[in-house]
């Protein structure tokens, strides 16, 4: 297995670091199922660590790319603030640039590639497919913040104002609308196959967000490509999930991706 570190030029010329995990014998012919994973909020850095779950994906011939997008903490506070509030579009535009790089370099093709993000990373994955639906064959959104306009009214909404903004100010409302995946779903557009997962007892991101987004995508796609909502009624935000719950969820996620990518 290889762990490659590269820099990708984003939409505005900024170099975005990417960690690419793959089997050493993988052919670079554009045919490999690929997950482009990211987060991009709160100044949290995404580290490359050993993961049996990721290893399971690599064993199937998959590529796992970690996009260290703006909003994270990889380059300190400046990098964080460059993906915060009004600067939030940099987060998903960075991921889009990474996805284009993977296609250009032969790792994968749009039909074989899926963005993946959870919680605040749901903004990243949700806006990637709503801005560039033709660039992806599938998507995974876990406990995602998908209706940014209403997020402030939820139990965990007020503590997040400093990260995302407030609807009580015009500039804040405009920024939240731009990062709200649900409000960017347009009729007449064919969106990638999508699986949304959520724990019914989630105290951080209300589960209705995933339900609302799933219903909207299902209505627009009219059944093809499929949109699935996976709810665990004994789980929350995933932090305290049992080993069995985590493995069961990823078995479903990987099965979904392998069935849909280039299907």
């Amino acid at each position: 297995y290889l762990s490659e570190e590269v820099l990708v030029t984003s939409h505005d010329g900024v170099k975005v670091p990417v960690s690419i995990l793959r089997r050493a014998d993988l052919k670079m012919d554009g045919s490999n199922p690929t997950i482009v994973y990211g987060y991009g909020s709160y100044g949290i850095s995404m580290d490359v660590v050993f993961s049996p779950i990721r290893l399971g994906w690599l064993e199937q011939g998959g590529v796992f790319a970690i996009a260290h997008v703006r909003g994270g903490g990889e380059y300190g506070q400046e990098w964080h603030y460059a993906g915060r509030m009004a600067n939030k579009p940099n987060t998903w535009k960075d991921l889009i640039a990474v996805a284009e790089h993977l296609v250009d370099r032969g790792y994968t093709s749009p039909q074989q590639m899926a963005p993946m993000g959870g919680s605040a990373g749901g903004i990243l994955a949700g806006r990637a497919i709503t801005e560039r639906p033709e660039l992806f064959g599938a998507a995974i959104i876990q406990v995602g913040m998908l209706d940014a306009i209403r997020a402030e009214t939820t139990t965990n909404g007020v503590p997040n104002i400093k990260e995302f903004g407030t609807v009580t100010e015009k500039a804040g409302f405009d920024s939240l609308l731009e990062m709200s995946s649900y409000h960017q779903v347009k009729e007449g557009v064919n969106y990638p196959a999508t699986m949304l997962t959520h724990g019914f007892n989630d105290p951080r991101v209300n589960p209705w967000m995933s339900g609302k987004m799933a219903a909207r995508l299902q209505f627009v796609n009219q059944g093809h490509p499929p949109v699935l909502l996976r709810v665990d009624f004994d789980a929350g935000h995933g932090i305290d999930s049992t080993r069995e719950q985590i493995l069961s969820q990823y078995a479903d996620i990987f099965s979904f991706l392998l069935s849909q990518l280039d299907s």
Side-chain angles (χ1 to χ4, degrees):
Y1 297 94
L2 295 178
S3 176
E4 303 169 298
E5 302 292 332
V6 301
L7 292 174
V8 172
T9 303
S10 193
H11 68 104
D12 54 358
V14 170
K15 300 290 186 180
V16 178
V18 186
S19 306
I20 306 173
L21 313 177
R22 63 178 177 90
R23 270 192 354 216
D25 63 348
L26 214 61
K27 293 182 180 179
M28 307 293 282
D29 59 1
S31 67
N32 306 304
T34 298
I35 292 172
V36 190
Y37 179 81
Y39 187 69
S41 291
Y42 307 110
I44 296 174
S45 300
M46 295 290 100
D47 298 324
V48 180
V49 297
F50 175 77
S51 165
I53 291 175
R54 291 178 187 172
L55 183 60
W57 177 252
L58 301 183
E59 287 177 340
Q60 295 297 316
V63 175
F64 196 96
I66 304 171
H68 303 282
V69 298
R70 279 172 282 185
E74 283 81 355
Y75 290 143
Q77 188 180 74
E78 183 179 354
W79 195 252
H80 171 206
Y81 281 20
R84 173 177 167 266
M85 292 188 170
N87 294 324
K88 195 62 184 170
N90 287 327
T91 298
W92 65 81
K93 290 180 185 294
D94 286 352
L95 183 132
I96 288 170
V98 171
E100 292 175 331
H101 172 86
L102 294 171
V103 172
D104 292 342
R105 296 303 173 92
Y107 287 94
T108 190
S109 63
Q111 296 77 21
Q112 292 273 18
M113 183 167 50
M116 181 175 179
S119 193
I123 299 172
L124 175 77
R127 286 299 283 116
I129 63 169
T130 49
E131 182 158 316
R132 291 291 303 279
E134 80 290 349
L135 186 57
F136 304 100
I140 301 295
I141 305 175
Q142 300 168 286
V143 295
M145 179 182 155
L146 297 163
D147 184 348
I149 295 299
R150 291 191 62 196
E152 189 175 337
T153 65
T154 64
T155 304
N156 195 41
V158 172
N160 287 293
I161 289 176
K162 288 187 177 181
E163 181 69 20
F164 303 116
T166 174
V167 295
T168 63
E169 301 169 357
K170 184 182 185 305
F173 178 87
D174 291 343
S175 297
L176 288 164
L177 181 60
E178 180 67 14
M179 72 180 77
S180 185
S181 301
Y182 172 81
H183 292 92
Q184 303 302 324
V185 178
K186 310 297 183 186
E187 292 186 35
V189 177
N190 206 31
Y191 293 97
T194 303
M195 174 181 279
L196 302 100
T197 71
H198 223 115
F200 194 72
N201 304 297
D202 191 339
R204 296 196 179 196
V205 179
N206 289 28
W208 58 257
M209 287 203 185
S210 290
K212 189 174 180 180
M213 183 68 169
R216 180 65 177 157
L217 287 172
Q218 286 173 348
F219 174 78
V220 172
N221 276 11
Q222 293 295 299
H224 185 79
V227 177
L228 303 183
L229 174 63
R230 183 191 190 279
V231 180
D232 187 333
F233 287 92
D234 295 318
H237 200 61
I239 298 170
D240 294 323
S241 291
T242 65
R243 182 173 184 269
E244 181 180 356
Q245 285 175 312
I246 294 170
L247 294 179
S248 177
Q249 179 184 159
Y250 275 95
D252 288 347
I253 288 171
F254 291 164
S255 296
F256 177 76
L257 288 177
L258 292 174
S259 72
Q260 295 301 317
L261 295 179
D262 200 29
S263 59

